Amino acid sequence: MMLTEKRKKMFLGGRWVEKDEVIHVYDPQDNAIITTVPKASEADILAAIEAAEEGVKIAGNMPVHERISIINKAADYVEEHRAIFAETIAREGSKTITEARGEVVRCINTLRLSAEEARRIIGETISFDQMPGHENRVGYYYRFPIGIIAAITPFNDPLNLVAHKVGPAIASGNAIIVKPASLTPLSGLLLAEAFEAAGLPEKVLSVVTGSGREIGDILVTHPSIRMVSFTGGMETGEKIAKKAGLKKLSMELGSNSPAIVLQDANIDDAVSSCVAGAFGAVGQNCIGVQRIFIETSQFNEFVRKFVKETKKYKTGNKKDETTDMGPLISKREAIRVEEWVNEALEENAILLTGGKRDDAFYTPTVLMNVAADARIATEEIFGPVVLLFEVENLTEAIEKANQVNYGLQAGIFTKDINLAFQAIQQLEVGGIMVNDSSDYRIDSMPFGGVKGSGLGREGVIYTIQEMTEPKVVHFNLG
Ligand code: NAP
């Protein structure tokens, strides 16, 4: 493992580069400085783009069997060094060591899926003779790589969300420049190391560390960049979309996901699924459960059991194997969450448990009686806070669930297939989980949202489709 020596460097077109200007990387648990990474300048981004301009030719000419072999070797590398990958995720971010190990397993799977899907990038024949006068013509389309991809990633899954862009990009013959979140750049750099060790030709991949606000514009507006693949907050996504111009956009943004619990639901299952979905990764999860709508006849029992389960959640040291929940990503974020909760409490919300902050830690918090138009009910809290609402029936639950400018995923708990189908048809989201919370995902399913939750879909083969374009070929046989 070489990262210890390379840690102060970024991966620019296949070379490890150091800079005088640096970004400090902190452990949010105790504010200890872990290390520094270079603070890239605009000139560094231009150098990465220049390298990618050559890299894209190399990547496009790489036979599919070589792409498969390289991605699988990168997955082997992550697997072999999984302990250090997990420690890095747990150290630079919010996740407990147990959650971090889970992310490493998912990253290996994402890479292996990418290798597998590389052989399935297929086209179709086209019946040109469906139009009178077009007889004696044959043809087909195939998918070709889109070109250079700028990938910008958030802090909350610092490894797997980078793998979700790099794996499919390489599988489909593109060059890619990753700009990881400045709070958690180390996991992405480790992934670059895995691809270097796997023999990925230089210039195909860069992982450039630097401030999004300072170097983001040059990266997303440069004419050589053919696609911007962004995962992060809605505000940043909107800014990027306005600036990017005429290029492909993939926008994986946030949400304040709903779960609906109907009167026939298994309450114990609904409670345990929603508690895990609300507080996993300290609630810093784009599909985390934020709003739960419960039918009147179940409301009191659900509230009692939900609060009881929440109180069992153990907050503390991320490295401790028994800890359920670590700190938020920063003290600043914990203060913001505290402010949003206090604002709701001033407007007559009732605090059922939690609501206490200690530095970057915030206790798992359950609120009821929150006004429908409160900031905490309409925006994304991205913290360990969940709101419980009593509703008369499914129709009211769906109407309230849809009353926000987000729509990533939703959960519904019921045994009634007709009611489940009503929710499937009427909820404005990219995915519905029946008898599970919104926080359910495997890395090979289409993943993405509607409304303010984004544009396009990820999920390896779906990402590959976004990262390739169909080219039509037609023969006039005379
Ligand atoms: P963020 O503040 O939007 O930052 C995301 C990335 O954008 C970071 O790398 C950031 O760089 C960069 N950035 C910031 N300003 C930029 C600009 N003007 N131009 C270009 N890049 C810029 O998001 P976050 O706080 O890291 O992550 C949390 C958000 O991500 C939540 O809303 C969550 O729901 C969403 N998310 C969505 C998904 C999904 O798949 N739908 C998955 C995970 C997370 P710096 O770090 O240098 O500022």
Side-chain angles (χ1 to χ4, degrees):
M1 200 73 190
M2 279 131 69
L3 189 78
T4 33
E5 296 106 65
K6 288 182 182 164
R7 198 165 263 174
K8 293 184 188 323
K9 300 178 182 173
M10 61 185 175
F11 193 64
L12 206 162
R15 288 176 305 114
W16 291 96
V17 175
E18 209 162 349
K19 301 272 300 176
D20 289 338
E21 264 209 279
V22 295
I23 294 173
H24 288 89
V25 185
Y26 297 91
D27 182 336
Q29 181 159 291
D30 51 14
N31 264 331
I33 294 174
I34 305 170
T35 185
T36 60
V37 292
K39 187 171 192 211
S41 62
E42 286 195 4
D44 296 317
I45 295 296
L46 289 174
I49 294 172
E50 205 177 301
E53 282 163 353
E54 283 183 50
V56 79
K57 293 178 203 145
I58 299 167
N61 286 326
M62 215 192 300
V64 169
H65 67 83
E66 264 177 41
R67 299 181 203 167
I68 293 172
S69 163
I70 287 169
I71 301 169
N72 272 329
K73 280 184 191 157
D76 293 343
Y77 187 91
V78 178
E79 198 156 22
E80 191 185 334
H81 301 288
R82 58 189 177 278
I84 188 148
F85 275 84
E87 277 159 32
T88 304
I89 293 169
R91 188 91 206 277
E92 67 176 347
S94 275
K95 288 187 175 175
T96 64
I97 188 66
T98 318
E99 289 175 326
R101 285 187 200 122
E103 185 175 340
V104 176
V105 171
R106 281 186 60 190
C107 168
I108 296 164
N109 183 44
T110 301
L111 294 178
R112 295 222 190 280
L113 279 168
S114 303
E116 220 177 279
E117 296 296 355
R119 67 177 100 241
R120 287 200 274 268
I121 304 173
I122 53 173
E124 285 179 337
T125 54
I126 298 166
S127 311
F128 288 95
D129 60 356
Q130 64 191 277
M131 287 290 289
H134 293 254
E135 298 79 12
N136 287 327
R137 289 161 191 272
V138 292
Y140 60 94
Y141 77 81
Y142 70 97
R143 302 197 74 88
F144 69 95
I146 195 161
I148 305 173
I149 297 163
I152 302 176
T153 54
F155 73 82
N156 62 317
D157 284 318
L159 180 67
N160 192 37
L161 290 179
V162 178
H164 261 289
K165 299 187 190 302
V166 174
I170 292 170
S172 52
N174 293 290
I176 179 163
I177 301 168
V178 180
K179 199 225 73 71
S182 297
L183 291 167
T184 56
L186 303 176
S187 305
L189 290 169
L190 267 182
L191 193 64
E193 192 180 302
F195 275 97
E196 181 190 39
L200 182 71
E202 283 186 6
K203 302 184 176 176
V204 174
L205 169 68
S206 286
V207 177
V208 188
T209 51
S211 157
R213 271 190 205 88
E214 289 171 24
I215 56 171
D217 279 10
I218 187 90
L219 186 59
V220 304
T221 58
H222 196 284
S224 292
I225 301 289
R226 296 314 311 140
M227 174 180 184
V228 178
S229 173
F230 175 76
T231 303
M234 182 168 71
E235 246 177 67
T236 319
E238 273 188 331
K239 267 190 217 157
I240 291 174
K242 278 186 190 141
K243 284 181 186 158
L246 216 53
K247 41 180 71 110
K248 189 103 163 249
L249 292 179
S250 163
M251 290 280 154
E252 299 289 332
L253 311 178
S255 194
N256 48 16
S257 300
I260 297 173
V261 183
L262 297 185
Q263 53 85 21
D264 66 339
N266 180 321
I267 288 294
D268 292 335
D269 289 351
V271 165
S272 62
S273 173
C274 289
V275 167
F279 304 122
V282 203
Q284 299 163 125
N285 174 6
C286 55
I287 47 177
V289 179
Q290 183 171 333
R291 301 173 296 140
I292 309 181
F293 300 96
I294 309 125
E295 260 188 327
T296 301
S297 61
Q298 294 276 29
F299 187 74
N300 289 340
E301 189 188 350
F302 185 90
V303 170
R304 187 174 50 76
K305 289 184 167 169
F306 194 88
V307 170
K308 192 174 163 205
E309 276 307 299
T310 302
K311 283 182 174 164
K312 289 185 198 158
Y313 235 65
K314 192 179 152 205
T315 306
N317 189 335
K318 289 182 288 180
K319 288 184 217 144
D320 187 335
E321 299 281 342
T322 64
T323 299
D324 296 310
M325 206 175 91
L328 278 107
I329 191 64
S330 64
K331 182 176 173 184
R332 212 174 88 186
E333 273 298 284
I335 291 172
R336 179 190 59 76
V337 168
E338 182 180 41
E339 281 171 2
W340 286 28
V341 169
N342 288 344
E343 201 176 281
L345 293 175
E346 278 160 26
E347 290 166 7
N348 295 329
I350 297 170
L351 179 70
L352 296 169
T353 183
K356 292 193 188 74
R357 186 181 66 78
D358 177 11
D359 203 54
F361 289 87
Y362 195 75
T363 47
T365 298
V366 185
L367 297 175
M368 61 183 262
N369 232 27
V370 175
D373 60 352
R375 174 155 63 163
I376 207 165
T378 53
E379 295 185 24
E380 180 185 37
I381 182 73
F382 222 57
V385 182
V386 66
L387 321 179
L388 308 183
F389 298 95
E390 182 177 341
V391 288
E392 269 183 28
N393 51 38
L394 175 61
T395 304
E396 185 188 348
I398 292 172
E399 199 185 301
K400 291 191 165 155
N402 285 343
Q403 256 171 16
V404 292
N405 185 29
Y406 284 114
L408 195 47
Q409 294 205 149
I412 176 164
F413 295 86
T414 180
K415 297 188 190 85
D416 187 324
I417 192 80
N418 293 318
L419 294 176
F421 268 100
Q422 185 186 341
I424 291 165
Q425 280 163 357
Q426 294 176 1
L427 281 170
E428 296 164 357
V429 287
I432 296 187
M433 309 302 134
V434 180
N435 291 321
D436 229 318
S437 84
S438 54
D439 183 30
Y440 176 82
R441 178 183 187 186
I442 59 169
D443 292 292
S444 55
M445 71 185 216
F447 184 76
V450 299
K451 303 199 282 192
S453 290
L455 297 171
R457 293 292 179 270
E458 288 200 338
V460 185
I461 188 65
Y462 308 97
T463 315
I464 287 176
Q465 273 161 19
E466 306 272 348
M467 291 180 170
T468 54
E469 297 280 19
K471 187 176 274 186
V472 174
V473 181
H474 153 252
F475 292 85
N476 182 351
L477 302 177

